[in-house]
Amino acid sequence: MRDSDLFLLVLALGAGGAAGIGVIVTDLLLAGLRWFAFGIPRSGYLSDIDVGRARVLLMPVAGGLVVGLAAALLRRWREREVVDAIEANALFGGRMSVGDSVGLVLVTLLSAGFGASVGLEAAYTQLGAAFSSRLGRSIGLRRDDVRTLVGCGAAGAIAAAFNAPLTGAFYAFELIVGAYTLQTLAPVGIVVWHEIALSGSDYLAFFGLGLASAGLGIVVMKGVTSTEALFRRQAVPRWARPAFGGLLIGAIALVFPQVLGSGHGGILRELHSGFDLPFLAGLIVAKIIASAVSIGSGFRGGLFSTSLFIGSLFGSLTGSLLARLGPGLGIDPLIYTLVGMGAVAAAIVGAPMTMIMIVLETTGDFTATIGVMVGVVTAAFAVRQWFGYSFATWRFHLRGLAIRSPEDVGWINDLLVGPLMRRDPPVIAVGLPLDELPRRFPAGSVRQVFVVDDQGSLCGMIDPTGVIAPDGGGATKTVKDVISEASSFLLPGDNLRTALDRFRQAGQETLPVIDNAEDRRIIGYLSEAYVLRRYAHELERHRGTRPDDAGIFSPEPGAYHPDPEPGQNR
């Protein structure tokens, strides 16, 4: 049954349905927490309701203490980093831990419930993807099928959270699976409340707004990581940092209460009634700072809906300013709000088609969607050129993980040096007379010879073509007199990525493979040309026949572009 497309489709439907149920349960728990902390009814939004100054100031602090203690307990229970859906699909073939994911969801729920300026989308997708991963692995699905099922769980979660099936599908395609395979399209339900008309000057302005949104997105991403580093440098226990961050968030919220929560209510208010220009400009800065403090101090959550809110504010500010500067241009601030919302979110989240689809599904207006597309594509392209990361992949980069997209690169860790190496290394003893070298290895027979001592341990390498035989006068020279410094080496358990990095650092075309770092006995050797050919072959095999246009709508190509010379051997 694992070979049946119909069976996989049934599993995908089950994964999406389970993810939707998870979103409903999570939302109910969130509503209960916010009712307890702020007295908000289930239908209300934290960012669009007056909850009183005392609660605004105190609840984020209390929530910070709860989050800090809960996170400390979870770290004692499971010390490892939680693997999210992007990392799981890129490196681990879709393998995720349900226990780790439930713990992450709990901390995220507490963070959002007590007013941290973060969204729950990361919790939704984590839960849906983790359950889908468990389902696929329990049935024994293949690696690619498990990855697809993880994408289905994440798609179902986003579709349920935003009531937007197309958005959920493209979210999975762009951020979780890394490929587009359109299945079914659902009808659009919501329409904008007045007709939108665009002119040529609007499209030019959307291009500029896209560039500005890219710059703003980069500022937000770097601001979050800089704030994290700032909190780590403070002499505050890790468990107490969220409480300190909560105090700062509460202080900001006394002036700008809309910074509390993810910003869903703030988006609705901005779209329907808007804010005064001075307050709007201040709210943009306040929301960026509150989000950076929330994540930097230890609250858990994502920037998906937060980036939509910041973008809507930024677009509205831009449209309102242009309308005042050019009253005769007939500028509609609403479309600028939508363009800014999509462009800033695409810059931060890194999913341009997802942002285009969310505007299409929430407005039902194709004219507005085309305008949004201009800003979104511009922002996505600019961030790729200027920065090269989305928020998720930027954090992976800071952790030392080479992940720039959800495309499956975990297979490279399964290709080890041991099975790839040649087992007939050209070896010579360190005490051998030098005039024996050309007889053992005639000119042109080998490029590198590995030198070993009496115990067979690696001493270095020499190039026989560069050694000049002694003329017979003076003391007899040995190989020891001409060897280079101790060479770099590979171990049988090193993977292809490590080998490629080692070749680049050593500047050598061939490296020896030794049994271990202590004994250093040579058991084989490997050439860079063969490693590059094998990498290219495996990369092509895993990509299959899917074209890679290397554009902003597809994952970046691999870090290496091998083009070995014909005739090179291992």
Side-chain angles (χ1 to χ4, degrees), residues 81-95 143 147 174-178 349 384 387-413 497 535 555-559:
E81 286 281 347
V82 179
V83 175
D84 72 2
I86 298 176
E87 185 180 353
N89 265 9
L91 296 180
F92 305 116
R95 295 191 301 274
R143 180 188 185 100
R147 295 180 70 252
E174 295 188 287
L175 295 181
I176 310 300
V177 178
V349 178
R384 175 178 286 257
F387 192 56
Y389 299 93
S390 66
F391 180 63
T393 56
W394 170 239
R395 291 167 71 81
F396 289 142
H397 167 73
L398 296 178
R399 287 169 50 194
L401 298 176
I403 302 175
R404 285 178 178 256
S405 80
E407 184 166 352
D408 189 7
V409 296
W411 53 266
I412 198 173
N413 297 325
R497 188 185 302 280
Y535 175 86
E556 288 191 347

Side-chain angles (χ1 to χ4, degrees), residues 243 372 471:
V372 170
D471 56 7

Side-chain angles (χ1 to χ4, degrees), residues 394-451:
W394 170 239
R395 291 167 71 81
F396 289 142
H397 167 73
L398 296 178
R399 287 169 50 194
L401 298 176
I403 302 175
R404 285 178 178 256
S405 80
E407 184 166 352
D408 189 7
V409 296
W411 53 266
I412 198 173
N413 297 325
D414 300 329
L415 291 176
L416 304 181
V417 166
L420 299 179
M421 70 181 182
R422 293 194 60 165
R423 300 179 182 276
D424 56 344
V427 177
I428 194 169
V430 70
L432 189 75
L434 199 57
D435 55 7
E436 286 288 324
L437 184 61
R439 285 194 284 272
R440 296 279 187 92
F441 301 100
S445 61
V446 293
R447 294 184 179 181
Q448 297 289 343
V449 176
F450 307 112
V451 182

Side-chain angles (χ1 to χ4, degrees), residues 307-370:
S307 63
L308 290 172
F309 184 32
I310 294 173
S312 70
L313 297 174
F314 184 61
S316 177
L317 177 65
T318 303
S320 299
L321 288 175
L322 290 176
R324 290 194 177 188
L325 293 174
L329 297 176
I331 289 176
D332 184 355
L334 172 62
I335 183 60
Y336 283 82
T337 301
L338 296 174
V339 172
M341 182 172 67
V344 173
I348 296 173
V349 178
M353 283 303 300
T354 301
M355 301 311 161
I356 294 170
M357 287 300 107
I358 199 172
V359 171
L360 173 62
E361 291 192 288
T362 54
T363 66
D365 191 297
F366 284 93
T367 302
T369 303
I370 294 172

Side-chain angles (χ1 to χ4, degrees), residues 532-555:
L532 290 172
R533 283 202 301 272
R534 186 59 185 271
Y535 175 86
H537 171 76
E538 292 293 329
L539 185 63
E540 186 67 22
R541 186 171 70 86
H542 281 80
R543 285 182 173 177
T545 58
R546 180 173 59 83
D548 181 8
D549 61 4
I552 62 171
F553 297 120
S554 62

Side-chain angles (χ1 to χ4, degrees), residues 20 71 165 174 201 213-214 227 239 244 252 272 325 334 338 366 368 456 481 492 498 524 532 537 548 559:
E174 295 188 287
S201 60
S213 297
T227 306
W239 62 267
F244 182 61
I252 296 172
H272 288 88
L325 293 174
L334 172 62
L338 296 174
F366 284 93
D481 298 317
T498 301
L532 290 172
H537 171 76
D548 181 8

Side-chain angles (χ1 to χ4, degrees), residues 1-17:
M1 294 187 69
R2 290 184 303 173
D3 296 325
S4 169
D5 291 338
L6 180 60
F7 179 62
L8 184 61
L9 177 60
V10 172
L11 291 179
L13 291 172

